[in-house]
Amino acid sequence: MGESITFLHSSDWQLGMMRRFLGPDGQARWGQARLDAVARIGDVAQQTGAAFVVVTGDVFEHNQVERQTILRACEALKRIPVPVVLLPGNHDALEPGSLWTSSQWLAHAPEHVTVLTETTPFPILPGVEIVGAPWRSRRPLSDPAAPGYADLTPDPGVVRILLAHGQLTSLSGGMSDVPTIDQAALEAAVADGRLQYVGLGDRHSTTRVTDRIWFSGTQEVTSPEEDAPGNVLRVTIAGDAIDVEPVRVGAWHMVDHRVELFDEESITALEDWFAELPDKERTYVRLAGDGSLSLPLLARLDSMIDAQGEVFASVERWAKFWTVRPAPDTADLESLQLSGPARAAMEELRQALAGGDETAGAALSLMHRLARDAG
């Protein structure tokens, strides 16, 4: 194993994934961005001299993605100028009806792309083998990585790269509802020379487990909870040495932001925060807020958030953590200058709010905003 070998490790492309909170326009741009990031992996392969690319599971969001998604994925794969090895994961498992056996995939998949359907070592280059543990159903009965390396013996003349998909027992926190991957067993297989690198998928954030065991993370962010998405890993193995470097290929951002809103200055500070964010058209913001505002300030806040939603990919009030309450005073309500049935409705809502009905406050805020806009 004296020669140096460089390759790229990616995972969890989940092409065809929907994110309803983005809206139709944002969803279309985000879906295209996931394909664009795949194409950028091809650019990184050229720039780094990578000999091949491996993708450790969940290439597609599910086995019933639209034909267009498969065809566009094939076009993106064509832009990767080196061999590509794909591992079926839990989202696109090798189960009956798998897209990997569909006529659309078989007819259009580029010749330089290989899908691992067995655990038999695959010789990608002289002296370099890829061993994989493809998922055969969405609910495996045992450690999903073990079939890829359980029967191997050390071979000093071969660099072996394991591709596996699933959560590590050590990182799952006992929350996984399917069997997890045994980290100690993986480390033992590395230590005794059966494996020289373990590429994992399923965790969307780039994560170093050991110097030879890595999650690459998704190529493009899928959720604000992900702390290091949007990378591909450049892996170089030279003898007993290894070097792994994350290279950014993603272009989108998903941001959680928490605010306390209680006066005009706090709203202005939120406006300034929005103004300073870059790449607005490729950014989703999820707002958590607490506080209370007068009706005019609440109407201003609503108008500002709606306007930012037109500029950003999407701006969403995080329902679970959005507790901004109206605090209308008599002057606010009298400024509406309502009469007849509208004033009677206002008085009824004011009494309901005084009785603790916060939905009445939201209705009063909307009434204030509509009356202001009409004026």
Side-chain angles (χ1 to χ4, degrees):
M1 297 190 296
E3 294 185 7
S4 172
I5 180 69
T6 295
F7 62 94
L8 302 184
H9 169 202
S10 184
S11 70
D12 298 278
W13 291 355
Q14 291 187 232
L15 304 177
M17 173 186 278
M18 302 295 291
R19 281 292 181 260
R20 303 293 183 187
F21 53 71
L22 291 174
D25 179 60
Q27 171 66 45
R29 287 185 284 115
W30 181 74
Q32 181 60 47
R34 301 192 74 74
L35 290 163
D36 292 342
V38 171
R40 280 193 291 274
I41 290 173
D43 297 336
V44 175
Q46 283 191 313
Q47 294 160 8
T48 60
F52 54 89
V53 174
V54 299
V55 185
T56 52
D58 290 356
V59 177
F60 292 94
E61 174 67 353
H62 50 73
N63 274 322
Q64 288 75 45
V65 295
E66 295 181 358
R67 179 174 183 270
Q68 181 189 61
T69 299
I70 295 175
L71 297 184
R72 295 179 74 188
C74 290
E75 289 301 310
L77 284 163
K78 288 177 183 177
R79 294 180 59 182
I80 299 178
V82 295
V84 181
V85 180
L86 307 178
L87 180 79
N90 61 301
H91 279 255
D92 48 14
L94 287 168
E95 57 192 2
S98 169
L99 67 84
W100 303 117
T101 58
S102 70
S103 58
Q104 292 94 337
W105 173 259
L106 295 176
H108 298 281
E111 291 184 0
H112 71 297
V113 174
T114 299
V115 180
L116 293 184
T117 59
E118 303 294 339
T119 57
T120 306
F122 172 67
I124 185 76
L125 292 172
V128 181
E129 291 181 349
I130 294 177
V131 292
W135 282 50
R136 303 192 180 281
S137 77
R138 291 180 61 88
R139 303 196 67 81
L141 300 177
S142 59
D143 180 338
Y149 68 93
D151 296 330
L152 297 179
T153 56
D155 187 340
V158 175
V159 172
R160 284 208 191 100
I161 300 158
L162 173 68
L163 311 187
H165 189 86
Q167 289 300 312
L168 288 181
T169 305
S170 57
L171 296 177
S172 67
M175 300 299 291
S176 178
D177 60 354
V178 296
T180 52
I181 297 172
D182 186 339
Q183 179 179 335
L186 283 182
E187 291 186 22
V190 171
D192 67 19
R194 281 176 286 165
L195 301 172
Q196 280 67 54
Y197 180 78
V198 178
L200 298 175
D202 199 38
R203 189 177 179 89
H204 284 199
S205 296
T206 299
T207 304
R208 176 190 180 277
V209 181
T210 71
D211 62 344
R212 292 178 182 268
I213 304 174
W214 285 73
F215 287 93
S216 66
T218 180
Q219 87 287 13
E220 189 66 87
V221 62
T222 67
S223 166
E225 283 84 7
E226 297 161 5
D227 56 14
N231 299 314
V232 64
L233 298 180
R234 180 209 40 85
V235 183
T236 298
I237 300 173
D240 293 330
I242 187 168
D243 182 63
V244 182
E245 177 191 9
V247 179
R248 182 158 181 83
V249 292
W252 273 59
H253 310 276
M254 293 189 178
V255 182
D256 282 342
H257 187 58
R258 298 175 181 270
V259 289
E260 294 285 337
L261 298 165
F262 48 85
D263 58 14
E264 185 171 2
E265 287 73 19
S266 60
I267 295 178
T268 300
L270 179 58
E271 290 173 333
D272 292 343
W273 179 83
F274 275 119
E276 292 172 1
L277 284 179
D279 303 322
K280 293 178 173 58
E281 72 281 2
R282 296 192 299 271
T283 299
Y284 160 71
V285 176
R286 186 168 63 179
L287 285 176
D290 189 23
S292 59
L293 294 168
S294 66
L295 290 180
L297 288 181
L298 198 58
R300 173 183 164 185
L301 174 68
D302 289 341
S303 294
M304 184 264 288
I305 291 176
D306 288 349
Q308 295 294 348
E310 298 295 325
V311 176
F312 284 77
S314 179
V315 176
E316 181 182 35
R317 297 168 184 82
W318 194 355
K320 184 178 179 180
F321 299 108
W322 185 262
T323 55
V324 180
R325 301 169 298 280
D329 58 25
T330 301
D332 290 338
L333 297 175
E334 291 301 329
S335 71
L336 296 180
Q337 298 182 342
L338 300 176
S339 60
R343 184 172 186 84
M346 181 192 74
E347 293 296 340
E348 185 175 345
L349 288 170
R350 178 158 57 179
Q351 292 175 14
L353 180 63
D357 186 349
E358 293 193 4
T359 60
L364 278 171
S365 174
L366 177 61
M367 181 178 288
H368 186 281
R369 182 178 175 186
L370 292 173
R372 181 201 62 185
D373 293 345

